[in-house]
Amino acid sequence: MKRIFLDLSGGDNPASVISEGAFRALEKNSDLHVTFVGSKKEYEEVFASHADLKERFDLIPCDEILTNEDNPMLAAKPGAGYTMSVALENLSKCEDTSAVVSVGNTGALIIASVMKIGLEKGCKRPVLAALLPYGIEDRVCLVDCGSSLEPTPEEMLSFGVLGSKLMESRGIANPKVALMNVGREDCKGTESMVSAFKLLKESGLNFIGNIEPDNLLTGETDVAVSTGLVGNALLKGNESAGNLVADSIMKGLKERLSGDSLKAAMEVLEETKCLYQYNEYGGAVILGIRKHIVKAHGKADANTIYSCINQAIKSI
């Protein structure tokens, strides 16, 4: 049985709404158990409407919520009673067939993960990675996507190693690794980027050199190493541009087509639009931690949680 500890506190939507994604996941996966971490009062009514699944979910009562305004270090303190902290402490005691999915404060989740679970052997710093779709099943690992705004060349090398390891776990042999840069030439970018290029080239990874942002979603590479600043901007820009294009096409189709033709075109467009929406392709993975942790978007809804749980299941 695979077990997910689910911390739904600290996001924009109430747990009563986004928890529906967890129940969808339970219905689809017979070998899944979900442990909710949160307020008993908030979940009582939700649980009552899913009595048919009661053997495969439970609750760890916890009322303390760490907000984005709070000091992230609070989550890492021994005995901290925040939902995020409690979820991680319980994960640390479980077998490798367990994971945490959280919508909470990103910085706090990373810090608390290091303190309560620990880093993988040889890893000096955890990093956020996003698995971006460029096809229905195809994914590219963008690492970093927001945790280290100005990493050192050595840290970027570590990002490449961790990203390559993640893609290998997804069945990709000898993943191609590239460095996100402003040009393809070896000498492009800042002094730090040039140094990172040299380290990656000498690393033994399947390093294919620099790529530019327009090659991120072409299938040219399996892992795109980036600074957190650039990676986060790419992530959000990609989502915004995809939705803009899809909405523009949708408007044009409605003006030019009707009946079955419009219906068929709209179905294809909706499937394509899903490739650009965080609610459909899961969350960011914290790499370098000894256990599996998925950070869901702060605006997560039921679809987000469903996708994040399925993403975690594939990892464990």
Side-chain angles (χ1 to χ4, degrees):
M1 183 75 71
K2 295 184 177 182
R3 186 172 189 174
I4 302 295
F5 291 95
L6 192 55
D7 165 32
L8 300 181
S9 302
D12 293 351
N13 292 311
S16 58
V17 173
I18 56 179
S19 62
E20 290 304 311
F23 291 111
R24 280 176 52 195
L26 284 167
E27 290 170 354
K28 294 288 185 179
N29 300 277
S30 60
D31 64 339
L32 172 65
H33 185 101
V34 174
T35 295
F36 295 86
V37 184
S39 168
K40 182 177 180 180
K41 182 179 180 181
E42 185 173 13
Y43 282 106
E44 279 181 336
E45 186 175 342
V46 176
F47 288 173
S49 62
H50 293 281
D52 56 318
L53 297 169
K54 65 180 181 181
E55 300 299 325
R56 291 196 290 119
F57 70 83
D58 60 353
L59 171 72
I60 298 176
C62 184
D63 294 319
E64 293 188 57
I65 300 171
L66 190 78
T67 70
N68 287 323
E69 287 72 40
D70 293 325
N71 185 339
M73 292 297 296
L74 293 173
K77 286 188 174 182
Y82 299 107
T83 54
M84 177 188 297
S85 307
V86 172
L88 290 170
E89 286 177 355
N90 279 272
L91 176 65
S92 69
K93 303 171 186 176
C94 290
E95 300 296 330
D96 290 338
T97 54
S98 302
V100 159
V101 173
S102 174
V103 302
N105 183 307
T106 303
L109 184 63
I110 294 174
I111 294 169
S113 296
V114 173
M115 299 301 293
K116 295 183 178 298
I117 297 177
L119 293 169
E120 291 182 1
K121 185 178 181 180
C123 180
K124 295 182 179 180
R125 183 171 185 170
V127 63
L128 278 176
L131 292 169
L132 301 181
Y134 59 90
I136 300 302
E137 297 294 336
D138 299 311
R139 298 290 183 270
V140 57
C141 175
L142 176 63
V143 55
D144 183 9
C145 64
S147 58
S148 304
L149 301 187
E150 296 181 342
T152 65
E154 291 76 18
E155 286 171 341
M156 283 190 275
L157 170 60
S158 174
F159 297 169
V161 172
L162 291 170
S164 185
K165 181 179 177 181
L166 175 65
M167 298 311 281
E168 285 177 346
S169 73
R170 295 176 61 86
I172 297 177
N174 199 25
K176 296 179 295 238
V177 179
L179 180 64
M180 186 61 62
N181 212 326
V182 295
R184 288 183 173 271
E185 297 85 354
D186 298 10
C187 60
K188 285 291 186 178
T190 63
E191 182 179 340
S192 180
M193 296 298 289
V194 173
S195 295
F197 182 99
K198 292 178 179 178
L199 290 177
L200 286 162
K201 188 174 182 179
E202 298 167 357
S203 66
L205 295 171
N206 185 13
F207 182 59
I208 63 172
N210 289 324
I211 62 167
E212 297 179 74
D214 57 341
N215 298 113
L216 177 61
L217 302 178
T218 61
E220 183 173 342
T221 188
D222 300 305
V223 180
V225 176
S226 173
T227 67
L229 180 64
V230 171
N232 192 263
L234 278 172
L235 190 67
K236 293 174 180 175
N238 176 63
E239 180 185 332
S240 177
N243 286 330
L244 174 62
V245 171
D247 289 342
S248 298
I249 294 174
M250 191 176 295
K251 181 180 179 181
L253 290 175
K254 288 180 179 178
E255 292 173 351
R256 293 167 175 79
L257 298 176
S258 61
D260 291 342
S261 296
L262 176 60
K263 182 180 179 181
M266 294 292 280
E267 287 176 353
V268 173
L269 186 58
E270 285 294 339
E271 291 175 359
T272 303
K273 189 175 180 180
C274 286
L275 298 178
Y276 299 95
Q277 296 180 322
Y278 59 82
N279 281 331
E280 300 296 336
Y281 59 76
V285 185
I286 303 180
L287 301 181
I289 302 296
R290 291 191 292 108
K291 300 284 186 176
H292 299 283
I293 302 167
V294 177
K295 169 63 179 77
H297 201 291
K299 297 178 181 178
D301 61 12
N303 287 337
T304 317
I305 299 305
Y306 175 73
S307 299
C308 285
I309 290 176
N310 284 330
Q311 178 182 351
I313 288 172
K314 290 179 180 179
S315 299
I316 57 179

